[in-house]
Every structure is written in structure tokens, then in C-alpha cells.
């Protein structure tokens, strides 16, 4: 996994250099990265832009990542962009370890290894090497879910709180922890330790706390945050916007990133169905399911939706098991599939990060 993602980072840096740009331009200074770096340097409420009459503010971005950037820059002589990359790369490594231990806990070492390799080979896994929140969010989510599987409820709740401070989709971790706790209470007929109740209680606090903080800053405690997100064209529309996009793409076509995004989302729905058929622990199903529902039911740039699904690693458990079975019967075929996925990931990821004109 490390070698693959390092190769992806190198590919992005080399293309930037060939275009006469700084080697960190696409890695640390593109799209959402610019907003996180600005928050880290200047705080909230200091950057906005007007798009089609809507005022987009920096309150749409959750605080854990920029706060970590600021903290690291205060103690290490690096630029904000370098600090952002160091945090993202470290978090990606922690996330890979979390994905591995969950796979190992469920199905053993071979499936765990295949699971990590598949996760690192996703078409949009280039984001794991950029100054984005997906690596940090996945790390918090994976280790929180692992803590649930091991019955460490206080750890699960604390990490779910951090996940909720990282991304809007952090609510998926909190819901997974709470549902898993409820299932445990039912299974044990209420005879559960107090730490389970505490863990389930603190799990949503990060997400809820930031939402209410933004609401207070905007003067509308319960709706302010959602109005901020609406200005970014991110609102609950129950998939109407996505269906319109797919219809327009079918009728009029579009850049390569658009059909790929539709394909990734469609395959993710299929993988979720396969995951449910395997009946894994409820926390994994709920986490992946909530992420998938958010992608399908919330509006926004469709080209970004596959990136939102990068943390949904439980969806890859069925294909990881299939690859292990294929390895046992035909190692050459398994290597061919894995090598092809890695090559496509590197090439497509470099295109998205450097050459693509659609929001990543």
C-alpha cells in the first residue's frame, strides 16, 4: 500500500514539475485544500466567495484537520502546505493499519492484505496523498470500528467524536457506534457495562458540537450549518440532483471523470448489497450504508462523490475475499487483476489531481 501511494504522490509531483508548477501545487494547494490551509493560518470567518449569488464560507469545513495543521506548524519548522501533507500521509498509514486489523479480525491475514491493497487501488485513492481530510477521517473511522468489534466502547466513542470533527460524513461513524451499542444491549438483554453507554453517548458529540457552533455563529442555532452547506449546493434532495445529472450525462455526454464517477457509485451500491449478504458485524454495514446514503441523497458535484466513498472500505470486503479465492486457484490471474487496478489507479489519480478540471 505504501509503495503504491508513494508512487501516486510521485506521479502527481512529476506532472506538476513538467507543467512548470511547484511540485506541491496539486498535492497541497488545490480545491478544498486551499480552504483548509486558509483556516489553519487565519481561522474561521475569514474567507468567502460568491458563486451564482450564494455566499460560500469557510464554516462548511470541519475543524480537526486545520487545527492539526496549525498545531504541527507551531512545533515544526514547516509551511502550512507541508504540515498538511505530513498529517495526511501519516493518517493514511494509520488508516491502512486500521483497515488491515479489521480485515484480519474478520477473515484472516490474506483477506486483510487484499483489503488494504484494494483500498489503496481505488480510482480516487489519489486523495490519500493529498492535503484532504479523507485519510484522517478514514483513520478515525477504521480504528473506531475496530474498537467496536473488540468491545472497547470508550475508545470507539472517542474516535467517533474525532471523526465527527473531521468531515460532514463523520456522522456515519457515530451512527455505526450507536447502532452497534443498541444491538449489544438487545443481545445481552440490557446487561452491559456502563462504558458502553458512555461510548455511545459521546460518539455524536464532535459532529453535533460543530454543527451547533456554526449555527450559533450564523445566528440560527439549528439550521445555520445546513444553510452554510446549502450555499455550497450540498443539501438533502433524496437523489433528485444525482438522477438529473445521470440523465444529462446520458443525453449529452461529458468529461471522462463524470462517467467514471457514475460507474464508481453504481458499483458501490452493488458492493453494499454483496456486503449485506455476507452478514458482517452491524457497525461495518451501518457505516458503509450511511456513507452511501449521503452520497446518493445529498446534492453536490457528482465528480466528488467517489472521493466521499473512499473511506467506505467495508464495501471492499467481498471483492477482497474473492481475490484471495482467485489467488488460491490461479495466482497469475490474481496478480494480473491487482496489477491492472494499481496501474489504472496511478494513471487516473494523476489525471484527477493535476489535469482534471472537475472538483475532486
Amino acid at each position: 500500500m505504501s509503495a503504491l501511494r508513494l508512487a501516486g504522490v510521485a506521479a502527481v509531483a512529476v506532472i506538476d514539475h513538467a507543467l512548470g508548477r511547484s511540485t506541491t501545487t496539486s498535492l497541497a494547494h488545490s480545491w478544498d485544500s486551499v480552504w483548509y490551509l486558509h483556516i489553519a493560518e487565519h481561522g474561521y470567518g475569514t474567507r468567502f466567495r460568491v458563486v451564482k449569488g450564494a455566499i460560500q464560507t469557510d464554516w462548511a469545513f470541519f475543524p480537526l484537520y486545520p487545527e492539526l495543521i496549525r498545531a504541527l506548524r507551531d512545533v515544526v519548522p514547516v509551511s502550512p502546505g507541508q504540515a498538511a501533507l505530513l498529517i495526511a500521509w501519516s493518517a493514511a498509514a494509520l488508516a491502512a493499519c486500521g483497515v488491515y486489523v479489521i480485515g484480519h479480525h474478520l477473515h484472516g491475514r490474506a483477506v486483510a492484505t487484499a483489503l488494504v491493497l484494494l483500498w489503496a487501488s481505488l480510482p480516487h485513492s489519489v486523495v490519500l496523498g493529498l492535503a484532504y481530510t479523507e485519510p484522517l477521517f478514514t483513520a478515525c473511522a477504521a480504528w473506531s470500528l475496530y474498537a467496536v468489534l473488540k468491545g472497547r466502547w470508550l475508545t470507539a466513542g472517542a474516535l467517533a467524536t474525532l471523526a465527527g470533527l473531521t468531515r460532514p460524513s463523520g456522522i456515519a461513524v457515530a451512527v455505526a457506534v450507536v447502532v452497534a451499542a443498541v444491538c449489544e444491549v438487545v443481545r445481552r438483554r440490557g446487561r452491559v457495562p456502563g462504558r458502553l453507554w458512555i461510548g455511545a453517548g459521546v460518539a455524536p458529540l464532535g459532529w453535533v458540537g460543530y454543527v451547533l457552533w456554526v449555527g450559533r455563529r450564523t445566528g440560527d442555532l439549528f439550521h445555520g450549518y445546513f444553510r452554510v452547506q446549502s450555499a455550497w449546493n450540498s443539501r438533502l434532495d433524496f437523489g433528485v440532483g444525482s438522477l438529473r445529472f445521470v440523465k444529462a450525462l446520458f443525453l449529452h455526454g461529458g468529461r471522462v471523470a463524470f462517467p467514471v464517477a457514475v460507474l464508481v457509485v453504481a458499483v458501490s451500491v452493488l458492493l453494499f448489497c454483496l456486503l449485506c449478504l455476507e452478514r458482517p458485524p452491524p457497525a461495518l454495514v451501518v457505516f458503509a450504508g450511511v456513507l452511501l446514503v449521503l452520497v446518493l441523497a445529498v446534492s453536490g458535484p457528482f465528480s466528488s462523490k467517489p472521493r466521499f466513498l473512499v473511506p467506505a472500505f467495508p464495501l471492499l470486503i467481498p471483492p477482497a475475499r474473492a481475490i484471495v479465492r482467485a489467488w488460491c486457484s490461479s495466482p497469475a490471474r490474481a496478480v494480473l487483476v491487482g496489477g491492472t487496478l494499481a496501474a489504472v489507479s496511478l494513471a487516473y489519480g494523476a489525471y484527477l489531481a493535476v489535469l482534471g478540471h472537475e472538483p475532486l
Side-chain angles (χ1 to χ4, degrees):
M1 182 271 185
S2 298
L4 179 59
R5 293 311 349 136
L6 285 174
V9 168
V12 172
V14 167
I15 297 175
D16 265 340
H17 180 73
L19 295 175
R21 302 189 295 191
S22 167
T23 54
T24 61
T25 298
S26 298
L27 293 173
H29 299 278
S30 62
W31 299 109
D32 291 0
S33 302
V34 175
W35 290 84
Y36 287 115
L37 293 179
H38 186 88
I39 295 168
E41 290 192 85
H42 305 288
Y44 280 99
T46 59
R47 180 183 174 93
F48 69 93
R49 67 182 182 186
V50 180
V51 178
K52 297 180 180 179
I55 301 176
Q56 297 178 339
T57 69
D58 52 18
W59 289 329
F61 299 89
F62 278 53
L64 183 59
Y65 188 43
E67 288 299 326
L68 289 176
I69 294 171
R70 179 185 292 122
L72 181 60
R73 191 190 176 198
D74 288 342
V75 298
V76 179
V78 293
S79 69
Q82 291 168 338
L85 288 176
L86 287 173
I87 292 169
W89 294 346
S90 300
L94 287 173
C97 293
V99 172
Y100 179 87
V101 295
I102 287 177
H104 188 276
H105 175 81
L106 295 176
H107 300 293
R109 182 166 58 184
V111 171
T113 302
L115 182 61
V116 173
L117 291 176
L118 278 176
W119 180 65
S121 301
L122 291 172
H124 290 69
S125 62
V126 65
V127 74
L128 299 175
L130 307 183
Y132 272 68
T133 55
E134 273 71 20
L136 181 60
F137 174 59
T138 308
C140 294
W143 284 103
S144 177
L145 295 173
Y146 181 67
V148 168
L149 298 181
K150 301 295 286 186
R152 300 166 185 166
W153 295 102
L154 295 180
T155 301
L159 290 171
T161 298
L162 293 179
L165 289 170
T166 306
R167 289 191 52 76
S169 53
I171 189 63
V173 187
V175 173
V177 172
V178 170
V179 170
V182 170
C183 291
E184 186 70 5
V185 170
V186 172
R187 186 180 70 85
R188 299 178 61 174
R189 298 181 180 180
R191 292 189 292 271
V192 294
R195 59 181 179 272
L196 180 147
W197 298 107
I198 297 173
V202 303
L205 293 185
W207 189 88
V208 172
Y210 183 69
V211 168
L212 294 179
W213 180 83
V214 172
R216 183 173 178 273
R217 292 289 296 270
T218 61
D220 187 348
L221 184 63
F222 296 108
H223 302 99
Y225 167 78
F226 301 102
R227 290 179 179 173
V228 167
Q229 289 289 358
S230 182
W232 286 83
N233 192 31
S234 178
R235 62 181 70 88
L236 184 65
D237 68 353
F238 300 99
V240 173
S242 296
L243 291 175
R244 288 175 178 169
F245 173 84
V246 173
K247 179 182 177 181
L249 180 64
F250 179 77
L251 293 176
H252 308 293
R255 295 191 180 101
V256 64
F258 295 142
V260 171
V262 172
L263 178 62
V264 169
V265 173
V267 170
S268 297
V269 173
L270 174 61
L271 290 178
F272 181 73
C273 295
L274 295 176
L275 177 68
C276 292
L277 291 176
E278 293 196 359
R279 302 181 67 181
L284 300 181
V285 175
V286 171
F287 172 66
V290 172
L291 287 181
L292 193 56
V293 167
L294 291 175
V295 163
L296 294 173
V298 177
S299 63
F302 206 96
S303 60
S304 298
K305 292 184 180 292
R307 169 169 67 87
F308 301 155
L309 287 171
V310 168
F313 64 89
L315 297 177
L316 301 174
I317 292 176
R321 297 185 67 190
I323 285 178
V324 171
R325 291 193 295 268
W327 174 269
C328 294
S329 60
S330 177
R333 183 182 302 174
V335 170
L336 178 61
V337 171
T340 301
L341 288 175
V344 170
S345 174
L346 290 176
Y348 188 66
Y351 163 77
L352 288 175
V354 185
L355 304 174
H357 300 288
E358 303 80 18
L360 176 61

